[in-house]
Amino acid sequence: MKKWLRKDVSAAIMFLAPSGIGFAMFYLIPFVMGVFYSFMDSTIEGHFVGFDNYRELLDSDSFRKAASNTFYFSVISVPLMLVLSLGLAMLLNKNTYLRNWLRTGYVLPLVVPVASIILIWQMLFDWNGSLNAWLNNFGIDRVDWMKTDAARNVIIVVYLWKNIGYNVILFLAGLQQIPKDYYETAQIEGAGRLRQFRSITLVYLTSSMFFVIIMSIINSFKVFRETYLIAGDYPHDSIYMLQHYMNNMFMSLDVQKLTAAATLMFGCILLIVLGLFAFERRHRQFME
């Protein structure tokens, strides 16, 4: 038995070694170095300065603006994503007309390159774009969507469109695991649709919902790609995100502020995820 365990462990280590080396080289070591540089005054023969870089970062108006915009975007977009994806999943779980075609339509944004699709969004929301042309036909004045506060709504729409299909698939998988006998029993006992949704659907979708919330929060912090392709380096103030700030610090070679901002963002995401894990664990114990 000991020989078999030793062989099994050695084989597992051999299979995991390439992935572990790649993870360490491209993720773990750069992250540790970034955290280390955030406490130094220079990357070359630097000296330890403690939290001076973080104090300077928090005193920066541009960083506070980027952090507040990112927080606002996550607070608005994640609940919208959760509600819309769950509603669509419940709709597609029924015998809806053209259900298979609708499922395919919601998944398509996952496989289409973002850079090519952004061109369509630019043509749609440009000053001379399709949306303004349609609005003008109804006597509504043109709106420069990407140079006003409306840019925030545009980015939210793009984020929802791009990520909703993945969440719908996760919720569909969870809904199909719920036995139909539970709903039939609830109907016999006189439970309405709202009571069935609260006591059956939400209870059995807890794990799926927990995963969807975590992925939606992480993706909301990664919206820089879409924002950058639509609005460029220096977008409207309402969509100036943390990634814009870090990208600008990288272009100016201000590594200390860059690494300090990245470390703070990682810390915020880590606290949110740990809080969600604690809430999910307590909820599971309550249900048991």
Side-chain angles (χ1 to χ4, degrees):
M1 187 67 178
K2 291 182 179 179
K3 293 182 179 180
W4 180 81
L5 286 173
R6 289 174 182 174
K7 291 181 180 179
D8 190 50
V9 171
S10 61
I13 293 174
M14 291 178 62
F15 280 109
L16 291 174
S19 298
I21 294 172
F23 175 79
M25 290 180 60
F26 296 104
Y27 291 96
L28 183 60
I29 295 176
F31 171 74
V32 174
M33 291 178 63
V35 175
F36 175 75
Y37 286 143
S38 68
F39 294 99
M40 307 295 289
D41 60 354
S42 176
T43 57
I44 302 175
E45 297 181 355
H47 301 283
F48 182 77
V49 294
F51 291 96
D52 289 349
N53 293 325
Y54 292 92
R55 296 190 188 97
E56 186 178 354
L57 187 70
L58 295 175
D59 290 337
S60 173
D61 293 334
S62 58
F63 174 79
R64 291 201 299 266
K65 177 175 65 176
S68 62
N69 287 338
T70 304
F71 177 76
Y72 177 87
F73 178 83
S74 300
V75 169
I76 298 299
S77 61
V78 172
L80 279 175
M81 174 70 73
L82 185 65
V83 172
L84 291 176
S85 56
L86 179 57
L88 290 173
M90 294 180 64
L91 179 65
L92 295 177
N93 194 43
K94 299 179 180 179
N95 294 323
T96 310
Y97 181 66
L98 298 177
R99 180 176 61 176
N100 294 331
W101 288 99
L102 290 173
R103 288 180 179 178
T104 304
Y106 288 119
V107 176
L108 279 178
L110 297 175
V111 298
V112 178
V114 176
S116 59
I117 293 300
I118 290 301
L119 295 175
I120 299 177
W121 288 99
Q122 287 177 336
M123 290 187 295
L124 182 62
F125 291 104
D126 190 70
W127 174 262
N128 295 317
S130 303
L131 182 59
N132 278 329
W134 295 334
L135 293 176
N136 197 28
N137 291 332
F138 293 98
I140 302 176
D141 295 334
R142 293 177 180 268
V143 178
D144 197 350
W145 296 95
M146 301 312 300
K147 294 182 180 180
T148 61
D149 289 337
R152 181 179 289 163
N153 299 326
V154 173
I155 298 302
I156 291 175
V157 171
V158 175
Y159 166 79
L160 293 174
W161 174 84
K162 179 63 181 175
N163 297 283
I164 199 169
Y166 180 66
N167 294 339
V168 168
I169 293 175
L170 294 176
F171 278 132
L172 270 175
L175 288 170
Q176 291 172 358
Q177 297 299 319
I178 303 176
K180 295 183 179 179
D181 297 341
Y182 293 169
Y183 293 102
E184 294 175 356
T185 303
Q187 289 178 356
I188 294 174
E189 293 181 354
R193 291 186 177 181
L194 183 61
R195 180 62 184 274
Q196 294 178 32
F197 174 77
R198 186 176 66 251
S199 302
I200 299 176
T201 306
L202 289 182
V203 171
Y204 283 90
L205 285 181
T206 301
S207 58
S208 299
M209 192 173 300
F210 172 69
F211 182 74
V212 167
I213 292 174
I214 290 180
M215 294 304 300
S216 299
I217 292 174
I218 294 175
N219 288 330
S220 68
F221 279 84
K222 295 163 55 179
V223 76
F224 167 74
R225 177 180 54 180
E226 292 83 356
T227 308
Y228 181 82
L229 291 174
I230 292 178
D233 292 334
Y234 294 93
H236 188 264
D237 287 348
S238 63
I239 55 174
Y240 185 75
M241 304 294 184
L242 279 173
Q243 293 90 342
H244 285 97
Y245 178 84
M246 289 187 283
N247 182 66
N248 295 335
M249 292 301 102
F250 173 77
M251 297 301 294
S252 62
L253 298 180
D254 194 343
V255 179
Q256 282 66 47
K257 287 184 179 179
L258 168 64
T259 53
T263 304
L264 281 179
M265 188 174 73
F266 168 78
C268 290
I269 296 176
L270 181 63
L271 289 176
I272 293 172
V273 172
L274 291 177
L276 289 172
F277 269 111
F279 176 79
E280 192 270 342
R281 190 184 306 112
R282 184 168 297 181
H283 181 268
R284 186 172 63 248
Q285 292 175 354
F286 174 76
M287 296 306 300
E288 292 175 355

